[in-house]
Amino acid sequence: MAVEKFLPVAAFLALILLLRHAPSVIAGDIVHDDDSTPKKPGCENQFVLVKVQTWVNDKEDDEFVGVGARFGTTIVSKEKNAKHTRLILSDPRDCCNPPKNKIAGDVIMVDRGNCTFTKKAKTAQTANASAILIINNQKELYKMVCEPDETDLNIHIPAVMLPRDAGARLEEMLTSASSVSVQLYSPRRPAVDVAEVFLWLLAVLTILCASYWSAWRVREAADEHNKLLKDASDEVPDTINTGVSRVVNMNMKAAVLFVVLASCFLFMIYKLMSPWFIDILVVLFCIGGIEGLQTCLVALLSRWFKHAAKTYIKIPFFGAISYLTLAVSPFCITFAVLWAVYRTHSFGWIGQDILGIALIITVLQIVHVPNLKVGTVLLSCAFIYDLFWVFVSAKFFQQSVMIVVARADGSGEDGIPMLLKFPRIFDPWGGYSIIGFGDILLPGMLVAFSLRYDWLANKNIRNGYFLWAIFAYGFGLLVTYVALNLMDGHGQPALLYIVPFTLGTLLTLGRKRGDLQVLWTRGEPERPCPHIRLQHSGEVSPE
């Protein structure tokens, strides 16, 4: 295969793969029980997010979010059990020495610095404070831990850190109001949120739609091929390619190369992550989304507007374009532009999912896995890629490169756009559950291949491979969500679970049924006339 043919395919798949990430939660990721921080008796709490609801002159006011310390008593989880307690400002501000002001069971607010967190908490506890709020000197939250050499950790009051902006607002309240009180509570997340169910359905249904569309196009072309053979045509004309004219078959070289390209792209994004770079990704996503949405709409509407779909007009720089495409394009462009403008609003996820699903379905029509051998190499490479950049990269860069990129840390955004997302409706902390495009697209190529094989081999749903493949994918994705919850929200690479189930099922079933050799090499059953083989325009042969 020529380099100029497989390089664009590998580059495109690399971009898709690096912008994928396991299902995860955007909000509240600091609640993890971080084993890298020292634990000891009296200093072994899990890090939990804490809601700090304020009341100014007995009227409900702003709510802030902090993080509980490794030490101190456990914060109540239900709002109804959280008491309204008066808030006072420490004097001295750092609370490294006994406060000069009188404290009678109040919550004391102190500044970070000049002594350890535990010393501040002990000083506040000795002064009869019921809880301590430590204001960070930065905008971010910080996990408060104990010093390795500390032994006296008899702390019996809650300790919570708040970001600098929250501290400035609280200080403003204290100086301008006669009475400020707070409630401290840490509501627990539900074990399963409806968002995860909907994301699972979106992923499975997207692969279902793409697989049936892909198989229908290939079978339509095969039927035309067989019809020509039955008519004893001496030559198969180029018209048989119209049904699958844009198909590009992957090969082993492209499958391996894209992992290298994906790693380079991922590391580049990791280093360049910033607001302007997110804007570039948004533009790229809009371009891909427009193309995907346009392709899906044209394919759907062409059933009713056949004449408009088959009548073309030449447009400068674009070539021949059907009238139907010309009519649909303004809607697709407007839709993508509106999403880009309003993407940060609460309803922005709807447009993002529509564009993303259309893009995934379109890619699955263009890029095909020709046989099980190429599919095995592709998914195995993606499996290794996932493991390295989610887990191993943390050993070299002190943080998981994949998770940093997926969350768009340091960019001011709540995540990159190349994700399907759904709001966590019943989660008291809000946020979104997400799944990366690659977690749908890469296994989807293998699932779509299984249905194309079934249809060309005239296998029914029970005797074929597709039903088993889509079931294995859905089960693997379900296991990913279970692992995510068991790991207390730590990011999990979905392909770690999806690849073994999906690929393992097809390999095992093919061997058991005696079809493995055909699946592994040809990827399609024997044609009635072996010396004539259906060629796809743009096909990349395995050689």
Side-chain angles (χ1 to χ4, degrees), residues 323-510:
Y323 282 99
L324 183 57
T325 301
L326 205 61
V328 168
S329 295
F331 169 78
C332 298
I333 294 172
T334 302
F335 187 90
V337 170
L338 288 176
W339 170 80
V341 173
Y342 295 103
R343 72 182 189 278
T344 57
H345 289 63
S346 59
F347 54 83
W349 64 273
I350 300 175
Q352 181 169 323
D353 286 357
I354 292 174
L355 292 173
I357 289 172
L359 176 59
I360 292 172
I361 291 176
T362 299
V363 171
L364 288 175
Q365 308 315 305
I366 298 174
V367 185
H368 283 187
V369 169
N371 52 52
L372 193 54
K373 178 168 66 173
V374 174
T376 300
V377 173
L378 179 66
L379 290 184
S380 298
C381 290
F383 181 86
I384 296 171
Y385 171 92
D386 247 15
L387 286 178
F388 180 83
W389 288 110
V390 174
F391 295 125
V392 181
S393 63
K395 305 295 184 182
F396 297 97
F397 305 103
Q398 286 71 53
Q399 54 187 347
S400 172
V401 172
M402 180 71 77
I403 293 177
V404 169
V405 170
R407 293 177 185 165
D409 290 357
S411 68
E413 299 278 349
D414 64 352
I416 59 177
M418 285 74 169
L419 301 163
L420 297 187
K421 56 196 297 188
F422 201 93
R424 295 179 62 86
I425 299 174
F426 299 110
D427 192 326
W429 297 103
Y432 296 88
S433 288
I434 62 175
I435 182 171
F437 287 179
D439 296 330
I440 304 173
L441 207 157
L442 296 177
M445 289 183 184
L446 194 63
V447 176
F449 159 75
S450 69
L451 184 60
R452 290 195 300 271
Y453 179 86
D454 285 352
W455 281 20
L456 290 175
N458 294 319
K459 292 181 178 289
N460 59 36
I461 193 69
R462 288 186 301 175
N463 297 328
Y465 293 92
F466 173 72
L467 181 63
W468 292 94
I470 193 67
F471 176 80
Y473 171 79
F475 186 76
L477 187 57
L478 179 63
V479 172
T480 303
Y481 284 116
V482 172
L484 184 69
N485 289 319
L486 291 177
M487 296 294 181
D488 194 27
H490 282 289
Q492 294 293 301
L495 295 183
L496 177 66
Y497 309 97
I498 294 174
V499 169
F501 282 108
T502 308
L503 187 59
T505 297
L506 288 180
L507 289 172
T508 303
L509 201 60

Side-chain angles (χ1 to χ4, degrees), residues 82-387:
K83 298 179 180 179
H84 289 217
T85 309
R86 187 169 73 105
L87 178 68
I88 64 170
L89 189 61
S90 175
D91 181 19
R93 294 286 296 268
D94 57 18
C95 200
C96 292
N97 296 308
K100 299 176 183 177
N101 42 346
K102 185 178 180 181
I103 303 174
D106 304 315
V107 176
I108 187 170
M109 186 173 78
V110 308
D111 290 341
R112 177 184 178 183
N114 299 330
C115 62
T116 64
F117 296 126
T118 52
K119 180 173 178 58
K120 295 176 188 290
K122 292 175 188 176
T123 303
Q125 177 177 280
T126 303
N128 201 29
S130 59
I132 180 171
L133 300 181
I134 301 177
I135 307 303
N136 197 11
N137 51 17
Q138 301 176 9
K139 292 183 178 180
E140 295 79 15
L141 292 173
Y142 185 85
K143 294 178 179 179
M144 296 187 291
V145 299
C146 309
E147 296 296 324
D149 56 350
E150 286 185 300
T151 55
D152 184 16
L153 298 173
N154 192 24
I155 300 173
H156 301 296
I157 63 172
V160 178
M161 172 163 283
L162 291 173
R164 183 177 60 195
D165 294 345
R169 176 64 182 134
L170 286 172
E171 186 173 352
E172 180 183 335
M173 292 178 182
L174 289 170
T175 55
S176 61
S178 58
S179 172
V180 178
S181 59
V182 294
Q183 274 183 303
L184 307 180
Y185 62 102
S186 179
R188 297 175 182 173
R189 281 203 162 99
V192 178
D193 192 88
V194 68
E196 295 165 353
V197 177
F198 274 99
L199 270 185
W200 186 90
L201 288 173
L202 282 178
V204 172
L205 291 177
T206 297
I207 292 180
L208 275 172
C209 293
S211 298
Y212 272 97
W213 186 10
S214 173
W216 172 80
R217 293 176 66 193
V218 170
R219 187 168 70 172
E220 190 176 59
D223 289 343
E224 187 173 353
H225 170 260
N226 294 334
K227 181 180 178 182
L228 290 167
L229 291 177
K230 183 180 293 186
D231 293 340
S233 298
D234 294 329
E235 184 178 352
V236 181
D238 291 338
T239 54
I240 69 171
N241 298 325
T242 55
V244 285
S245 60
R246 298 178 63 190
V247 169
V248 176
N249 280 346
M250 280 286 295
N251 75 356
M252 294 179 63
K253 290 182 180 178
V256 174
L257 179 62
F258 94 92
V259 175
V260 179
L261 294 176
S263 297
C264 295
F265 289 154
L266 180 67
F267 189 72
M268 179 183 68
I269 292 180
Y270 172 70
K271 289 296 185 180
L272 297 178
M273 185 63 70
S274 59
W276 65 266
F277 200 82
I278 291 295
D279 291 338
I280 293 177
L281 294 180
V282 168
V283 172
L284 292 176
F285 176 70
C286 286
I287 294 173
I290 290 171
E291 175 66 20
L293 189 60
Q294 175 183 282
T295 301
C296 292
L297 288 177
V298 168
L300 182 64
L301 295 176
S302 62
R303 298 297 171 182
W304 293 278
F305 303 96
K306 294 182 179 180
H307 180 72
K310 295 180 179 180
T311 307
Y312 292 84
I313 183 175
K314 285 190 176 181
I315 304 294
F317 304 108
F318 294 98
I321 297 178
S322 70
Y323 282 99
L324 183 57
T325 301
L326 205 61
V328 168
S329 295
F331 169 78
C332 298
I333 294 172
T334 302
F335 187 90
V337 170
L338 288 176
W339 170 80
V341 173
Y342 295 103
R343 72 182 189 278
T344 57
H345 289 63
S346 59
F347 54 83
W349 64 273
I350 300 175
Q352 181 169 323
D353 286 357
I354 292 174
L355 292 173
I357 289 172
L359 176 59
I360 292 172
I361 291 176
T362 299
V363 171
L364 288 175
Q365 308 315 305
I366 298 174
V367 185
H368 283 187
V369 169
N371 52 52
L372 193 54
K373 178 168 66 173
V374 174
T376 300
V377 173
L378 179 66
L379 290 184
S380 298
C381 290
F383 181 86
I384 296 171
Y385 171 92
D386 247 15
L387 286 178

